[in-house]
């Protein structure tokens, strides 16, 4: 965990996306985020694109970015 958020790595048999951050505390939020990443990958999103667009700073997460 990190302040008011959580930092984690997404790891599956074929994909690793390191150092993702969500500005919400709680392992259940990480579990929901893992599910969202899994769906994005199944829909054909590129892991590099997911990584680049994922991290939201605690100061900016209310600027209209949805995860």
């Amino acid at each position: 965990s990190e302040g008011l958020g959580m930092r984690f790595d997404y790891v599956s048999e074929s994909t690793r996306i390191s150092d993702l951050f969500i500005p919400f505390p709680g392992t259940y939020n990480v579990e929901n985020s893992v599910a969202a990443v899994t769906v994005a990958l199944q829909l054909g999103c590129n892991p590099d694109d997911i990584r680049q667009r994922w991290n939201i700073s605690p100061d900016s997460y209310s600027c209209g970015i949805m995860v």
Side-chain angles (χ1 to χ4, degrees):
S1 73
E2 178 178 302
L4 294 177
M6 304 287 285
R7 190 168 297 280
F8 64 99
D9 296 336
Y10 177 92
V11 180
S12 73
E13 289 182 13
S14 60
T15 306
R16 179 181 184 93
I17 306 173
S18 299
D19 200 32
L20 297 171
F21 177 79
I22 54 172
F24 313 105
T27 55
Y28 57 92
N29 284 315
V30 172
E31 291 167 350
N32 289 337
S33 297
V34 166
V37 171
T38 301
V39 169
L41 291 168
Q42 290 296 312
L43 291 173
C45 293
N46 181 303
D48 292 331
D49 290 341
I50 293 170
R51 172 71 180 89
Q52 181 179 9
R53 297 168 187 259
W54 186 269
N55 288 333
I56 305 168
S57 74
D59 298 328
S60 67
Y61 75 87
S62 63
C63 67
I65 299 171
M66 299 276 297
V67 188

